[in-house]
Amino acid sequence: MANTSQPLRRTALLASGAALLGLLTACGSESAASSGTPQPSQAARTAGTAPDSGSATPGDSAPAVDATPTDTAGSASASARTDGRCHTSELRATVGRVDPGAGQRNFPVVLTNTSDRTCTVYGYPGAAFVDASGKQLGPDPERAPGSPETLTLTPGKSAWAGLSFSSPQISGARTATPAALLVTPPDEREPLKVKWTAGEVPVGGNESSVSVTALDAGTGP
């Protein structure tokens, strides 16, 4: 009778070895999964996560952008309504009461914004005494030393300049009685005509100069 025990034992040992190898392989796979080591798919998922420091990484999402539209057209329109030089047609000129002192006659010449927009004035107004026919009497006034500033006039607000000359009774200058004072706003060509009711003014001879100051806010001292 043939001895079959040895082949059977070899077969059993091979089967046991295969089972043991399968068990070790399974344990190894479970250990790798439980260790927390990122697998390729997991690493791809976490590449775009920003670190706690707040610094950007190549995978970070783009920063949020405020998509609220800006009304640039409206801003430009508002600027056009509220900025820019005051034009002659937007102003009214008046001459205030005389303020005498130390042989001088001083008058506030007032420019008032009569428009419905805010505008600005800067510098010295022009001034000229004229007779009833419009002919100028005497030379142009001299500009008094000063530091002009840009003045913003909202509707109804005013700026003023001082118009001064030596009293003709004291200076002995040649005089004339104007019919009007022409006031030209800064940087404008067209004057405003104001009726002159303050009597004679110097138009020639010694001490006949007239001076005007830079514009200041308000209606006078």
Side-chain angles (χ1 to χ4, degrees):
M1 183 175 179
N3 187 1
T4 61
S5 61
Q6 188 167 349
L8 289 175
R9 186 181 297 114
R10 185 180 295 112
T11 301
L13 288 173
L14 290 174
S16 298
L20 179 60
L21 179 61
L23 180 60
L24 291 174
T25 302
C27 292
S29 298
E30 182 179 357
S31 175
S34 63
S35 67
T37 302
Q39 301 302 308
S41 59
Q42 182 182 2
R45 289 196 301 271
T46 59
T49 303
D52 292 341
S53 65
S55 59
T57 62
D60 281 348
S61 300
V65 177
D66 185 2
T68 304
T70 302
D71 184 13
T72 55
S75 298
S77 177
S79 177
R81 290 194 302 270
T82 59
D83 294 338
R85 185 177 77 246
C86 297
H87 300 295
T88 299
S89 61
E90 299 173 308
L91 299 169
R92 180 182 70 248
T94 56
V95 177
R97 297 176 59 181
V98 63
D99 179 24
Q104 291 286 113
R105 304 191 73 191
N106 309 299
F107 300 85
V109 177
V110 182
L111 294 174
T112 302
N113 182 6
T114 59
S115 73
D116 59 358
R117 75 176 185 110
T118 297
C119 57
T120 61
V121 291
Y122 172 85
Y124 295 80
F129 293 111
V130 295
D131 61 18
S133 66
K135 180 182 177 181
Q136 182 169 336
L137 302 173
D140 292 335
E142 299 175 354
R143 291 183 174 184
S147 300
E149 296 181 358
T150 298
L151 305 175
T152 301
L153 302 184
T154 56
K157 293 301 181 179
S158 304
W160 72 283
L163 183 73
S164 301
F165 52 85
S166 296
S167 175
Q169 289 78 13
I170 298 175
S171 69
R174 182 166 56 86
T175 64
T177 301
L181 175 68
L182 300 183
V183 181
T184 306
D187 300 313
E188 291 291 299
R189 293 180 179 273
E190 293 299 320
L192 296 163
K193 188 175 183 179
V194 184
K195 185 178 180 180
W196 184 259
T197 59
E200 58 184 4
V201 300
V203 295
N206 295 332
E207 303 295 330
S208 62
S209 62
V210 178
S211 66
V212 63
T213 67
L215 287 163
D216 200 356
T219 57

